Amino acid sequence: SSLIVLARIDIFRSFYDNSDRIPIVMQITIIETVKGKSKNSQILIKGQEGKNCLEMLNKFKIGKTYVFALSPSYTENSKTVDSTIFDLSSCGEHWLSYDNKFVEGVITTDVKEYTKKIIDIQYKIDNYKGSDYNKVVGKLYKERQILYKTQVQKMTYKSFKQKLSIWVSNSS
């Protein structure tokens, strides 16, 4: 991710199939930039629209604060970056909830192994065709949830930023 920010969600800007239930773009106000640079204090985050690998935005709440790890969003011709629009990937966890100076979510350096396990489970869910679908897929959803819970941590925002700076310097 090229941009990591602490930000408040202002508004959902557009919705899947013009419904008011499934947002696909949200506007945020950057409170603090943790990594990278943004020329703007307000940016848009693109989410899942049904045919991309981006995060579902309906899990986020207007007025709440989160840490987001974002990537530049390319325009339709795929060659130009718009500096006001960023993508929030769903391949792994790229956000943390923030409340009262604490962050909570999946905080791990072993992202590849965790992501591989999640993708393997999701592949099994998406491709299961058996007659006992509800039973098997239900177990897979529980397995995914248990895996997720093993990775969830809560720490102060300050500690998170210190850990992140160590991870970033070790990967350079």
Side-chain angles (χ1 to χ4, degrees):
S1 299
S2 64
L3 181 64
I4 300 176
V5 296
L6 176 68
R8 182 189 67 248
I9 298 177
D10 298 327
I11 191 170
F12 294 118
R13 298 289 296 262
S14 62
F15 298 87
Y16 184 72
D17 285 343
N18 296 319
S19 76
D20 61 354
R21 292 184 296 269
I22 305 171
I24 56 173
V25 176
M26 62 185 176
Q27 178 181 305
I28 65 170
T29 297
I30 297 172
I31 298 167
E32 180 182 357
T33 301
V34 180
K35 177 187 171 218
K37 289 184 169 60
S38 175
K39 298 175 189 172
N40 306 292
S41 63
Q42 288 187 320
I43 59 174
L44 300 177
I45 296 178
K46 277 183 12 186
Q48 176 63 255
E49 61 184 36
K51 60 185 176 207
N52 59 25
C53 291
L54 300 177
E55 188 69 70
M56 295 292 291
L57 300 181
N58 59 344
K59 62 180 69 174
F60 301 108
K61 306 286 183 234
I62 293 173
K64 294 285 185 185
T65 302
Y66 300 87
V67 174
F68 293 108
L70 305 168
S71 300
S73 187
Y74 291 88
T75 59
E76 289 187 31
N77 67 15
S78 293
K79 294 181 182 173
T80 311
V81 175
D82 183 332
S83 65
T84 62
I85 304 175
F86 289 83
D87 291 341
L88 182 59
S89 175
S90 66
C91 293
E93 300 288 326
H94 291 83
W95 62 274
L96 302 170
S97 61
Y98 174 92
D99 188 36
N100 199 24
K101 299 185 182 179
F102 282 86
V103 293
E104 185 173 8
V106 176
I107 304 171
T108 180
T109 56
D110 195 5
V111 175
K112 287 181 184 175
E113 186 61 28
Y114 170 73
T115 301
K116 181 185 178 308
K117 289 177 182 177
I118 291 291
I119 289 171
D120 288 346
I121 293 169
Q122 190 62 48
Y123 180 82
K124 290 175 186 175
I125 290 169
D126 292 344
N127 293 290
Y128 189 77
K129 306 278 191 245
S131 60
D132 54 350
Y133 179 86
N134 289 341
K135 180 180 177 184
V136 172
V137 170
K139 283 183 180 181
L140 288 168
Y141 276 119
K142 285 179 184 172
E143 183 181 337
R144 185 175 70 183
Q145 192 63 23
I146 290 167
L147 178 61
Y148 173 78
K149 285 180 180 179
T150 65
Q151 299 298 315
V152 171
Q153 296 181 47
K154 184 174 184 176
M155 66 179 62
T156 66
Y157 179 62
K158 183 178 178 179
S159 296
F160 166 73
K161 290 193 315 183
Q162 289 169 341
K163 263 190 167 184
L164 183 65
S165 71
I166 292 167
W167 293 337
V168 169
S169 66
N170 287 342
S171 67
S172 315

